[in-house]
């Protein structure tokens, strides 16, 4: 499948089109909405399904050096990307050091919803992928936050020390992380037999539920852009568009040496190019309360997320095919 075919297949998939529907509805000020309780239930379902399937794959293949290498690469990328992002923000925008550090943390961490959309794009391309990428996703949540806090401390050495213990607890017990890791462990324990037992629940319904969830994400992103976009200067918006490409290039460098399949490489690149809007905002509210959510959350959710979902994913799959030796 050529790069153009990948792009067209992704842009015309039901998942992306439902996101576009929600985004357009929000910009048009439609009263279309998904109740918050239902949106949370959909998110929990997606975490359960993707985590469980990844654990089952580990049960089939076992833990080996390839998995450990990918986890190490993910941790390094999560720590390095905020440094690059922070430097670019300070060089090209007028954001304060604290706001720049908060934004950089989002781009070093990951969006699990972008990862889920990436798995569907990879499956649409007909590529298998390594199940342990779920573990890599979980590992990549934390290093970026720690690096961002160090950057903020360096910029303001007189500020009070952040409650590191409370921050770590906030990250480790974040609902999405608990469900993702917990489901991964359960899938690893129960294996293919466990999957056969609940496949009617997490198999066929998965894509339909993803469509409904992405409809809600489109509504949230459109509202965020409508309400918070006035705080985003053109250089800041540009960062939200080019930073994913820089992160993808960094991850592609690792893929040149990691023994990943084209599907696995595509997902590592996608993870690196994504920007968090769940775990990191919660951590920033606790650790950097002076940072402005209207900047970091709007940029992540209303600029980078739509870019990745519509344009980024086909590019990342094309790049993965090149660096992994895939077709």
């Amino acid at each position: 499948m050529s790069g153009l075919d990948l792009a067209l297949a992704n842009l015309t998939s039901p998942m992306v089109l439902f996101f576009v529907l929600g985004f357009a509805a929000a910009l048009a000020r439609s009263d279309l909405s998904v109740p918050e309780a239902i949106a949370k239930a959909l998110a929990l379902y997606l975490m359960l399904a993707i985590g469980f399937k990844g654990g089952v794959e580990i049960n089939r293949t076992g833990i080996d050096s390839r998995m450990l290498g990918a986890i190490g690469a993910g941790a390094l990328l999560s720590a390095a990307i905020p440094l690059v992002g922070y430097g670019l923000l300070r060089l090209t925008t007028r954001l304060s050091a604290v706001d720049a550090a908060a934004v950089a943390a989002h781009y070093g961490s990951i969006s699990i919803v972008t990862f889920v959309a990436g798995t569907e794009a990879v499956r649409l391309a007909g590529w298998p992928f390594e199940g342990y990428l779920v573990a890599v996703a979980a590992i990549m949540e934390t290093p970026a936050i720690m690096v961002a806090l160090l950057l903020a401390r360096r910029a303001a050495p007189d500020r009070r020390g952040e409650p590191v213990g409370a921050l770590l607890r906030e990250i480790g017990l974040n609902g999405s992380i608990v469900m993702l890791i917990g489901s991964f462990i359960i899938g690893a324990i129960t294996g293919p037999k466990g999957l056969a037992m609940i496949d009617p629940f997490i198999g066929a319904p998965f894509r339909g539920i993803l469509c409904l969830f992405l409809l809600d994400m489109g509504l949230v992103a459109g509202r965020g852009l409508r309400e918070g976009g006035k705080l985003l200067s053109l250089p800041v918006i540009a960062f939200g568009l080019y930073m994913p490409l820089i992160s993808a290039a960094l991850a592609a460098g690792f893929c040149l040496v990691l023994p990943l399949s084209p599907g696995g490489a595509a997902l590592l690149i996608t993870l690196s190019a994504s920007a968090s809007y769940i775990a990191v905002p919660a951590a920033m509210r606790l650790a950097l309360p002076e940072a402005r959510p209207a900047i970091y959350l709007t940029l992540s959710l209303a600029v980078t997320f739509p870019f990745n979902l519509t344009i980024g994913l086909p590019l990342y799959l094309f790049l993965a095919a090149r660096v992994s030796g895939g077709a």
Side-chain angles (χ1 to χ4, degrees):
M1 187 178 287
S2 68
L4 180 60
D5 291 336
L6 286 172
L8 290 175
N10 189 65
L11 289 172
T12 57
S13 70
M15 288 75 73
V16 171
L17 292 177
F18 271 103
F19 175 86
V20 172
L21 172 62
F23 193 82
L27 292 180
R29 300 181 184 274
S30 167
D31 63 356
L32 176 65
S33 65
V34 177
E36 184 178 355
I38 293 177
K40 289 182 177 179
L42 295 174
L44 287 174
Y45 171 87
L46 294 174
M47 299 306 99
L48 185 155
I50 196 70
F52 191 90
K53 291 175 183 177
V56 170
E57 185 64 25
I58 290 299
N59 180 280
R60 287 179 176 144
T61 62
I63 298 174
D64 57 20
S65 59
R66 295 183 303 164
M67 174 183 176
L68 297 177
I71 288 176
L76 286 173
L77 285 165
S78 180
I81 288 171
L83 295 173
V84 176
Y86 179 83
L88 289 171
L89 284 167
R90 295 293 283 162
L91 183 65
T92 63
T93 75
R94 296 183 178 180
L95 291 183
S96 69
V98 171
D99 279 328
V103 170
H106 287 69
Y107 286 81
S109 188
I110 61 101
S111 160
I112 194 63
V113 179
T114 306
F115 175 71
V116 173
T119 63
E120 288 304 301
V122 167
R123 289 192 178 100
L124 188 64
W127 295 353
F129 60 88
E130 294 80 359
Y132 56 71
L133 267 298
V134 175
V136 176
I139 290 294
M140 291 180 72
E141 287 277 12
T142 307
I145 298 173
M146 298 296 104
V147 169
L149 293 183
L150 290 173
L151 290 170
R153 280 199 185 107
R154 182 183 178 188
D158 57 335
R159 62 195 305 267
R160 294 179 180 178
E162 290 83 358
V164 177
L167 174 64
L168 291 175
R169 186 178 187 279
E170 179 82 12
I171 299 166
L173 296 182
N174 178 273
S176 62
I177 299 300
V178 170
M179 178 59 81
L180 182 68
I181 296 177
S183 299
F184 181 84
I185 293 172
I186 293 171
I189 293 172
T190 59
K193 289 184 179 179
L195 179 60
M197 293 174 65
I198 66 171
D199 187 62
F201 176 63
I202 65 173
F206 181 87
R207 290 181 179 176
I209 291 176
L210 179 59
C211 286
L212 187 56
F213 183 77
L214 287 175
L215 171 69
D216 181 57
M217 285 291 95
L219 289 167
V220 173
R223 291 174 191 139
L225 186 61
R226 195 181 69 212
E227 297 167 4
K230 59 187 178 182
L231 294 177
L232 302 182
S233 66
L234 286 178
V236 173
I237 293 174
F239 176 87
L241 299 175
Y242 67 69
M243 189 62 207
L245 301 178
I246 294 174
S247 301
L250 292 173
F254 280 89
C255 292
L256 289 171
V257 296
L258 290 172
L260 288 171
S261 66
L267 291 183
L268 181 60
I269 292 171
T270 298
L271 282 170
S272 301
S274 67
S276 174
Y277 52 81
I278 299 176
V280 176
M284 291 300 104
R285 281 198 299 268
L286 177 66
L288 293 177
E290 62 269 49
R292 291 175 286 180
I295 293 176
Y296 60 68
L297 189 55
T298 303
L299 187 63
S300 171
L301 184 56
V303 177
T304 299
F305 182 66
F307 171 80
N308 275 333
L309 202 62
T310 56
I311 298 173
L313 284 176
L315 291 176
Y316 307 150
L317 266 66
F318 181 78
L319 180 60
R322 305 282 79 77
V323 300
S324 66

